Each structure stands twice: as structure tokens, then as C-alpha cells.
Amino acid sequence: MVNVTIDGLKLQVPKGTTILEAAESAGIDIPTLCHLKGLLPDASCRICLVEIEGNPKLFTACSTPVAEGYTIYTKTEKVIKARKFVLDLILSTHKADCFSCAKNGECQLQNLCYEYGVEKSSYQQMDHGYPIDDSNEFFTYNPNQCILCRKCVRVCAQLHGEGAIAVVNRGVKSRIATPFVKLLKSSSCVSCGNCVSVCPVGALMPKSKERFRSFETKKVPTTCTYCGVGCQLDLIVKNDKVVGAQPRDGEGNKGLMCVKGKFGYEFINHKDRLKKPLIRKEGELCEAEWDEAISYIAEKMKAIKAESGANAFAGLSSARCSNEDNYVFQKMMRAAIGTNNVDHCARLCHASTVAGLATTLGSGAMTNSIAEIVDQDVVFVTGSNTTETHPVIGSMIRQAHRRGAKVIVAEPRRIPLCREADVFLQIKPGTNVALFNGMMNVIINEGLQDQKYIDERTEGYAELCEVVKDYTPEVVAEICGIDAEELKKAARMYAKADKAGIYYAMGVTQHSTGTEGVMGTSNLALLCGKIGKYGCGVNPLRGQNNVQGACDMGCLPTDYPAYQKVFNDDVRKKFEKAWGVELSAKPGLTVTEIMNAVEDGSVRCLYIMGENPMMSDPDITHVEKALKACELLIVQDIFLTETAALADVVLPGASYAEKDGTFTSTERRVQRIRKAISPVGECRADYAILSDVMAALGYENSFKTAEEVFAEIASVTPSYAGMSYERLEKVGSLQWPCTSPDHPGTPILHIGKFSRGERALFKPAPYRESAELPDAEYPMIFTTGRILYHYHTATMTGKVEGLNNIAGNSYVEINSADAAKFGIENGEIVKVTSRRGSINAEARVTDIVNEGVLFMPFHFADGPANMLTNTVIDPIAKIPELKVCAAKVEKL
């Protein structure tokens, strides 16, 4: 530690701390225009000058480390004079259109000039007359207002990892070059907007349909509604309308955002929002009052229950809704209706994670924290297009690579992260199990395993060795379509690293062998002693904002909240006491089983909250047939989705900006969402709607606020027991398990002891081929995924004009060799067919995919990829094999 004095205040700070950091720790403000937290100092603006006693020079506080005995002054006459001089120089290059600038009132340069009494520059004003660049869909760049602080350059290159911005020329002709090009056709810019967020002046500004000044708005802190990273942000509100978004320095995002989080808020106030309940009358959906809709639902449901019993009902909750909404939904199904037929989209994405990791480790969740990524020595990404599906985590991986980490990517497509990859294994879709077995074969044969860890903390090692011994690099290379030497390189790289984490998503889980693939990641990590340690772990990346929370809340057919089993007598008695009713011990139906049951009539009423199976489920033709056959289909959503259009009753829910609650991110982090605006029209918070339905069915709930719901969650959910809104307001967020009010939360699982007990379990499996492989009639492997600019079924992103302008239509990627073979030209519309149907889409001829592989995003209704996908399921987790089926492609 180092002893220093700043403005008379004695401090003790760690060696290496800069003067700026030391001052901040003591609450002493030193102005800066170029400083970015988390990066080495740039010192280009020089506004943070300070005086050190005994030294005639002035020093930049952001780049000068403290030393023992330093006495530092931040507000002397000499310092103030120097800062005025710096501001004078900056103003000479800045076109000060303060009255017309939207940054007026929030401009850091303007505020500093006001503070130091600098009204205008004493130097000749430089007017370069540069044209304004407005080619980006979401923001403009005015180089005449740029002060060359280089924040935009540094955040793009060093934090986000794209490097799309650069300083060009020298001296007075220096300027920021922005390669923004319409539709991003020839630019590495992905419109994340992080450059806009850090710009201290009005040079980079968001395009907004609403004109506003900062003093006309309020900022409401909340959690992003898109992917599972859990980015913290402020919603900017004017006149009860969201007009912007700004990142916060959250634990998971560290001040970064992606294009969807930054600019994808337009759906909140979109004209197509559902504003009143709808009831189908004479074949048409007609507006109704809330009392009428609730009474209609209750009357129909009571009649069905009287005739067919509780198991004639099923419900699909939502990973897009809050923990509070999901908790009340499953409580409604179980306590008010009496069935465990409740599931949600985790069945389509990470059911195999819950099953696989619960078996091997005892907990089906991310073992480590996002913030650890930047400190890792090796990052192993498989089954995840991370920079597009979880962009901020992708940025963290790129930061780790900049710091010297090795990156391994095992993917069927050449994803953007391959730029950073030290090893890229372009595997055949569906061969994950073989890949992991091959890596473990190399590690064991070369003696790279952590035998001490294995002996002390695991069981089943002999069985693992027996299974993987046949998966030599040469055998696996043949199965996966990769190079054996590259496989060996990846295995050695992972095994030898002190801090190595595995990151995977649906490319591992959405297979008929998905659970075995998940257990393969766990086996690999355990073999090398990399679970229960900082910078390591097995880390499933949850797709939606609250898919972890929806699982935690018990929206699963076999689980109450916190994965307490419905067939466990003691657990069931606990919930019967808490909820005051007798509960069913019979496990419920999964998503795919529910659709079959709806079609055959054994489920007569299906209640769907915030899900869109007409786009997300496999074999949409079958889904449509089932939903049309449903006697009573109730859909609760914010838009009239493809699924809601088939409903008998549609109830308008509130968006995340219109209600209070919590989301649980992919790293098990529970964070608040806060009501920023009044509900649009007559829409209501989902938990409140459900409470009314329950009351109409004869089960009284006393929930008046989301906070009351969360209090009940904590009372029955051991892993949330130490949480409350009051505590979350104080500490910001908590990671479960958090078992008591004084428990700090758990950043890393399985330290010292595994959730399943003293030892983790090796659970090896031989490689099995996908259920449906190419043949003479269908010679291609068809696989699906997500893209950066859309989210899930595009219910929300499809309402954002800029996102649609960038990526607004369906397409299919086809290798250039296959395109030549079939006579297909880039950009033409082609027909893609599987055994379940045909769709038309734009052909994108590319070498991103290998020969024999077709890839489609599943977001687009104009070419719904899930018309083609297979309903074959993993027998353990019952997750569909969405990632592999046989298909053919034809010219039209």
C-alpha cells in the first residue's frame, strides 16, 4: 500500500493506483474527457492535470501512478489556469453549436467550460467543413464537433473488439474516420453504439424520432430485455415515452451494450402494441373489456375442468417475462388449476443443460461469472456464435484475447470470433460428443489430466477412460471433419492452462444427444480440474433475458421453484402448506408433448404467456395444426404474434419498461427491472393478469405489487432466500445461491463441494449420429441459429425499423461449391425443403459454412426455418433436435 495526500485528505491505496483512481476512491472529482474505465490511460485530452508538491511540472492524473508520500493538489491556481488553457485549445477545434446541439445540457465539454468560465476560444476557430456522416441506421457522426478524445476509437477496438473506427491524418488535419456504410455491407461496424455512449460531446449522436434535451428527460435504471447477459442500462424517458437507452456499469456488461440493447427499444411504444383484450367472436378477434375477458376465460376453464379434470390444461410461460410473472404463472397452473403441465422455451434451448449439469455437478447453471472471462488464459467456445448471440460476452472474449488469452472455437460455421481463434475446429453439425471425447482421449493419453483433482473430487473416472479410449484424434477427425493435429493442439491448450473456461449454447444443446453433449463439456472440465475455480468452469450461455429465471421459478413440468421435484413428498407438502391447496404429484408434459396432447384432444386448454411457438417450435406445420385444434387457446403477449393470431382470447401484457420485477441472467445474477413509463393502452403486468385469472377460478391471491411476489419467491426458493427488493436496491445484484440475508451470493459454484455432494460425476457417452442424416433425396445438413440484429422470433426486434433495414428478411447460407453445383447465384430466391415442408429464402453464397451444410436464422416469418426442423427429441431432456435435419435446396 502507498500513503498519499490529495487536497489535504490522507489516503492509503494499492501500489500502481493512478492519481485519478485514488481521487475517485476518496470522492474527489478530477475532470477528464478521454478517460475510459478499464483501459490503460490515453491522456490525450490533458484536462485532468494536477500538481504534485515539490515538482514544477503538472501531471495528468489518469496516467500518473501515485508514489509513497505524494502530496497532490487538484484545484490550485496553477492547475485551474492550465485546465482553462486546455479547454481554450479544445474549443478552437470544436464547432460549438450548443443551442442546436441535442447534447446541450449533457455535453461534458460544455459543462467544463461553464465550470471554468471559458466562454469561447481565444484562438482562431478552425472550420474544416467536414460533411456529416448519417449513413448508419442508428446514429450520426459530425466530425466538426469532434474533439479527438479518441474514446470512440478505443471503446470500439479495445473493449468492443471490432476496430471499425480509426484516427487518420496528423496535426490539425487529424480526424476520426468512420467506415459506416449503409446496411453495413462493407464495414466491420455492427452498430453497437458504444462509441455513441462514450462520446463526451455531440459528435456522435443517436438518431431519434423524438427531439429532446437531457433536462427534459429522466433516466430509469433497468436490465436489458434481450439476451441472457443481463446488461444494465438506463432507459431515457420523455413525456412518459422511452426515447433512448444508455449503458450502465453493470457487473455483467461493464458499460457495454449491443445494437439491440442500445437501439432496440422502439417496440415499447410501437403502434402495433396490444392495448385491449381480444375475444374471438364469429371467427374474428374483437376488442373486449378486461372484466369480460377474465370472466370468459374463467367460465370456459371451469367447464373444461369439470368435464376433463386438471390435466386437460397446459401452460407455456415465458423466458422474456420477469421472475415474478413466471412464478405466478406456474403457481396458477399448479395451485389454481391443479396440473404440472407447465413448461417454457428452455425446453427448446437449454433443457439438456439443466439435465446434464444437474447429473454431473448437481446444478444446471453457469458455474462462473462473466467478469472472469477477461482474466482467462484459454477461452473455449463451442456451439455458440457468441459475438452475435451474446455480444457483450463476445466482447469480453476479445478483451481476453487482447490480454494474451488463447481462443479455441469449435463450430460448424466460420463465425466472427474465428478472427481471434488460435484454433478453429469447423466441425460437422451434431458431432459435439465425438469432439469432446477426442479431446479427452488426447489429454489422458498424454498425461495432461489433473489426477489429484480427479482422485479427490470426482467419481466415475475409470468408466470415462473406457469410453474415450476409442476416440483417437484420427477417428474423431473423420467423424467431425476436422484435422487431427488441430484437435490435439486444442486439447493440449485447454488442459495446460491454469484458467480456462468453456462457453457453449444451443449448438451443443439442441440435439437428440444434447444432454450427452452437455455432460461432455462437464467431463472435459472435471478431467482437467477446472470446476470450482476462478477463471474456469462450464458456462452455458442462456439465450433469452430470463430463461435462467424462468427455470429457477419452476416453470418446468417436474420442478417447483429452485428445482424442487414435484414427485418428492416432502417438497410437495412444503408447497401445499405455502399455497394452501393440495398439489398433484404427477410430472407434467413438456413443450413438445403438450403440442401432441393438444392435437389429440387430451389437452383442451392451452395458456401461453409471452411465447411464440408458431415461430420457435420445430415442425411449425404440426404446431399450427395443434393450435387450430385447441378448444381454448389463451395467449398473453405484447403484440399479436403468429401464435396470438390463432387464439380464442388475447390478453395485452406490459413490456419490461412498464412494470417492476427482476430478471436472472445467464450468470445466475438477479437484477431489477423498474417501471419507466405507464403501461401502453390498457395493458397490464403479467403477474397482475394471472392473479385476476386465479381469483376468477376461485383461488385468491393477495399480490398487489411485484415486490410482494418476490417476497413469496424468497420464502419458498432456497437459492433466493437471502434476496429482497430492499437488498437488491442496496447492492445492485446478487448471484444465487444466496441463502440468507447476510449471504454475499455465489460468483463461483462448486468451490470445495459440488451441489450434488462431495464428488462430481464423470458421465461419459459414446458418439451417436443425429437422428436424421442426409441421403439421396435430401443430401444437405440443415441447421439453424440466431443473428446479431434480431432476437428469438423477432416479436420485439421486428418492430424496430433500423434493425429491419439492416437485416429484414429470411436467407439461407450455402457453400460456394454447393451453389455452383446447383446453379444457384448469390441473392436469388431458392426453395429449401425437408421431410416436413418447404420454404423460400434468399440464397447467400458463402464459405462461412462447409460444403453439404445449409444454415438459416429462425427469426423471420417470411421464411420460417422451423417449418423444416425435426421434432425428434433427446430422450433425457426431451429437447428437439433443432440443429440437424436433412434437406435439399433448389432453384426456383
Side-chain angles (χ1 to χ4, degrees):
M1 301 294 284
V2 175
N3 295 289
V4 296
T5 303
I6 304 179
D7 292 344
L9 185 65
K10 296 185 182 299
L11 303 172
Q12 195 173 63
V13 296
K15 186 177 181 181
T17 301
T18 65
I19 294 173
L20 181 65
E21 291 168 339
E24 284 179 347
S25 71
I28 297 170
D29 179 59
I30 297 176
T32 177
L33 290 169
C34 70
H35 180 66
L36 276 173
K37 186 177 179 181
L39 292 183
L40 292 173
D42 183 78
S44 60
C45 75
R46 304 193 69 76
I47 200 69
C48 65
L49 292 168
V50 295
E51 189 173 359
I52 300 175
E53 189 175 86
N55 201 310
K57 295 195 309 179
L58 295 179
F59 296 84
T60 50
C62 70
S63 61
T64 306
V66 295
E68 180 65 35
Y70 267 7
T71 298
I72 300 158
Y73 302 100
T74 70
K75 294 180 176 64
T76 64
E77 183 178 345
K78 184 177 180 181
V79 166
I80 291 171
K81 182 178 179 181
R83 289 179 186 167
K84 284 184 176 182
F85 173 71
V86 170
L87 289 170
D88 194 348
L89 285 175
I90 292 173
L91 276 183
S92 71
T93 66
H94 175 73
K95 188 175 182 181
D97 295 329
C98 295
F99 288 117
S100 61
C101 181
K103 198 86 168 186
N104 188 9
E106 202 172 28
C107 172
Q108 294 175 41
L109 176 61
Q110 181 188 54
N111 292 339
L112 284 173
C113 286
Y114 177 79
E115 180 182 345
Y116 285 91
V118 180
E119 296 183 3
K120 62 180 181 178
S121 177
S122 60
Y123 298 92
Q124 182 178 351
Q125 184 76 37
M126 284 184 276
D127 184 4
H128 296 289
Y130 294 130
I132 296 173
D133 184 346
D134 67 351
S135 60
N136 188 275
E137 286 291 341
F138 298 107
F139 49 90
T140 60
Y141 172 57
N142 185 348
N144 304 297
Q145 291 186 332
C146 177
I147 62 172
L148 289 173
C149 68
R150 296 189 287 191
K151 272 187 172 181
C152 59
V153 176
R154 299 173 72 219
V155 75
C156 183
Q158 297 178 49
L159 293 181
H160 179 62
E162 283 294 342
I165 310 173
V167 179
V168 296
N169 303 329
R170 291 190 173 190
V172 295
K173 292 186 177 181
S174 294
R175 65 187 183 92
I176 305 296
T178 54
F180 310 143
V181 178
K182 194 74 170 176
L183 302 187
L184 312 181
K185 296 281 182 164
S186 58
S187 169
S188 62
C189 174
V190 293
S191 297
C192 66
N194 288 305
C195 56
V196 181
S197 297
V198 300
C199 182
V201 294
L204 282 162
M205 291 296 294
K207 294 178 178 178
S208 176
K209 293 181 173 63
E210 302 285 333
R211 289 179 60 84
F212 62 90
R213 302 286 178 83
S214 61
F215 50 79
E216 301 175 306
T217 66
K218 66 176 181 178
K219 292 181 178 180
V220 181
T222 192
T223 303
C224 184
T225 190
Y226 287 112
C227 81
V229 176
C231 293
Q232 295 299 284
L233 68 146
D234 286 325
L235 289 178
I236 302 169
V237 177
K238 176 187 176 183
N239 296 334
D240 209 28
K241 186 175 182 180
V242 176
V243 296
Q246 184 74 4
R248 294 173 64 87
D249 187 20
E251 292 294 329
N253 64 310
K254 302 296 183 184
L256 295 178
M257 287 179 76
C258 78
V259 60
K260 297 187 293 294
K262 176 72 174 175
F263 301 113
Y265 56 82
E266 290 178 4
F267 76 89
I268 296 168
N269 293 105
H270 195 275
K271 62 180 179 60
D272 292 341
R273 279 287 303 276
L274 289 169
K275 299 178 178 67
K276 286 180 71 71
L278 305 173
I279 298 176
R280 191 172 296 279
K281 299 177 181 178
E282 298 180 359
E284 298 293 327
L285 286 171
C286 305
E287 288 190 351
E289 299 303 319
W290 272 106
D291 288 347
E292 180 187 2
I294 298 295
S295 296
Y296 180 91
I297 289 170
E299 180 183 336
K300 294 287 187 181
M301 291 176 79
K302 286 177 180 178
I304 291 172
K305 187 173 182 179
E307 294 171 7
S308 302
N311 287 323
F313 295 81
L316 300 179
S317 76
S318 177
R320 293 184 293 165
C321 293
S322 69
N323 286 321
E324 294 75 6
D325 298 331
N326 279 287
Y327 176 82
V328 177
F329 187 92
Q330 61 85 35
K331 184 178 180 181
M332 176 186 74
M333 297 304 299
R334 291 183 163 116
I337 296 173
T339 182
N340 288 313
N341 292 339
V342 56
D343 208 356
H344 72 293
C345 71
R347 187 67 51 193
L348 307 176
C349 59
H350 272 287
S352 41
T353 285
V354 175
L357 295 186
T359 299
T360 60
L361 306 176
S363 175
M366 191 167 170
T367 63
N368 289 61
S369 300
I370 294 170
E372 297 170 39
I373 295 172
V374 297
D375 291 329
Q376 289 176 347
D377 304 315
V378 167
V379 182
F380 180 18
V381 176
T382 179
S384 166
N385 184 3
T386 319
T387 57
E388 296 203 49
T389 57
H390 299 84
V392 169
I393 291 181
S395 295
M396 302 286 185
I397 294 171
R398 285 174 164 167
Q399 289 179 40
H401 186 256
R402 285 182 59 86
R403 295 185 182 194
K406 302 293 184 183
V407 176
I408 304 166
V409 174
E411 269 289 296
R413 299 171 67 235
R414 185 173 288 276
I415 61 173
L417 199 56
C418 290
R419 295 202 320 248
E420 284 76 27
D422 297 272
V423 178
F424 173 42
L425 303 169
Q426 192 162 10
I427 62 173
K428 177 183 172 183
T431 60
N432 304 298
V433 173
L435 174 72
F436 302 142
N437 285 349
M439 292 180 69
M440 288 186 284
N441 177 286
V442 173
I443 291 166
I444 292 170
N445 285 337
E446 297 188 6
L448 301 176
Q449 71 271 37
D450 188 335
Q451 197 62 51
K452 185 174 185 292
Y453 184 97
I454 293 166
D455 294 341
E456 293 177 355
R457 300 203 60 193
T458 71
E459 57 184 302
Y461 179 59
E463 183 185 353
L464 178 81
C465 293
E466 181 63 26
V467 170
V468 305
K469 67 180 175 58
D470 296 328
Y471 291 87
T472 64
E474 292 71 27
V475 168
V476 172
E478 181 67 25
I479 293 171
C480 297
I482 58 177
D483 182 80
E485 292 304 314
E486 289 296 291
L487 174 67
K488 294 176 187 177
K489 183 178 178 182
R492 293 164 184 154
M493 193 176 286
Y494 175 78
K496 292 178 180 180
D498 290 330
K499 291 177 288 186
I502 300 173
Y503 299 86
Y504 73 85
M506 274 75 85
V508 168
T509 62
Q510 288 179 332
H511 296 276
S512 56
T513 57
T515 304
E516 293 166 348
V518 168
M519 291 190 293
T521 66
S522 178
N523 293 335
L524 179 59
L526 290 171
L527 181 67
C528 299
K530 290 181 170 53
I531 292 181
K533 298 178 180 178
Y534 179 84
C536 295
V538 174
N539 300 290
L541 302 180
R542 301 291 192 164
Q544 298 195 59
N545 55 304
N546 200 37
V547 70
Q548 182 65 62
C551 291
D552 296 345
M553 294 302 103
C555 294
L556 298 167
T558 58
D559 297 62
Y560 294 120
Y563 312 96
Q564 301 170 87
K565 301 303 177 184
V566 301
F567 44 77
N568 182 302
D569 291 342
D570 291 338
V571 167
R572 190 171 62 260
K573 287 176 183 176
K574 165 187 165 179
F575 280 92
E576 287 177 340
K577 182 179 179 181
W579 294 344
V581 293
E582 187 176 334
L583 298 171
S584 172
K586 180 183 178 181
L589 302 176
T590 64
V591 167
T592 46
E593 292 168 335
I594 286 170
M595 287 301 167
N596 292 333
V598 170
E599 185 179 16
D600 68 26
S602 56
V603 166
R604 296 173 59 189
C605 174
L606 178 59
Y607 198 130
I608 301 175
M609 177 181 74
E611 291 289 309
N612 189 13
M614 276 295 294
M615 287 291 292
S616 62
D617 286 24
D619 191 2
I620 291 174
T621 302
H622 168 255
V623 174
E624 183 177 18
K625 183 180 178 182
L627 294 182
K628 286 182 175 178
C630 189
E631 184 176 334
L632 178 61
L633 176 61
I634 305 161
V635 175
Q636 192 167 303
D637 214 312
I638 62 174
F639 290 103
L640 192 68
T641 63
E642 290 81 4
T643 301
L646 302 177
D648 299 291
V649 185
V650 180
L651 303 176
S655 75
Y656 83 116
E658 299 154 358
K659 60 187 177 185
D660 291 314
T662 55
F663 292 156
T664 304
S665 74
T666 190
E667 61 174 345
R668 299 170 284 105
R669 187 178 298 280
V670 180
Q671 300 176 117
R672 284 293 315 277
I673 57 171
R674 297 174 179 84
K675 184 178 178 181
I677 62 172
S678 302
V680 172
E682 296 180 21
C683 74
R684 301 176 62 201
D686 291 286
Y687 79 85
I689 299 171
L690 299 169
S691 293
D692 281 356
V693 172
M694 294 167 78
L697 292 173
Y699 183 93
E700 290 297 330
N701 257 330
S702 59
F703 297 134
K704 302 299 182 187
T705 66
E707 186 170 8
E708 290 178 5
V709 180
F710 193 84
E712 183 170 307
I713 292 170
S715 72
V716 297
T717 309
S719 52
Y720 284 61
M723 302 185 198
S724 65
Y725 276 25
E726 181 181 8
R727 190 175 180 199
L728 288 172
E729 287 295 336
K730 289 179 180 178
V731 302
S733 65
L734 289 162
Q735 288 172 276
W736 66 256
C738 177
T739 54
S740 65
D742 58 354
H743 192 288
T746 311
I748 303 172
L749 294 178
H750 315 302
I751 295 177
K753 182 180 179 180
F754 292 94
S755 300
R756 73 182 295 270
E758 292 297 328
R759 293 174 178 267
L761 176 67
F762 283 111
K763 192 70 173 175
Y767 163 69
R768 291 186 290 116
E769 291 184 330
S770 300
E772 185 177 271
L773 296 175
D775 55 22
E777 186 178 3
Y778 298 99
M780 309 286 285
I781 292 177
F782 180 81
T783 190
T784 67
R786 306 178 185 214
I787 62 173
L788 172 64
Y789 299 101
H790 283 288
Y791 171 75
H792 205 48
T793 64
T795 300
M796 298 183 295
T797 52
K799 302 298 189 293
V800 179
E801 182 181 354
L803 295 174
N804 284 328
N805 288 342
I806 294 171
N809 63 280
S810 180
Y811 64 87
V812 57
E813 291 177 353
I814 180 172
N815 183 271
S816 54
D818 289 323
K821 181 168 62 177
F822 298 126
I824 293 170
E825 298 291 333
N826 186 57
E828 72 175 306
I829 304 300
V830 296
K831 181 180 179 181
V832 186
T833 305
S834 77
R835 288 180 172 84
R836 288 150 295 279
S838 297
I839 54 176
N840 295 341
E842 175 191 333
R844 294 198 179 173
V845 178
T846 178
D847 291 326
I848 291 174
V849 293
N850 272 333
E851 288 185 56
V853 176
L854 301 171
F855 167 83
M856 281 190 73
F858 75 92
H859 310 290
F860 301 105
D862 69 326
N866 281 320
M867 189 78 73
L868 310 182
T869 49
N870 201 344
T871 56
V872 171
I873 60 172
D874 175 330
I876 302 170
K878 299 184 180 180
I879 186 171
E881 188 151 58
L882 292 161
K883 282 290 183 280
V884 178
C885 72
K888 61 182 177 181
V889 60
E890 305 167 271
K891 286 177 67 73
L892 287 177

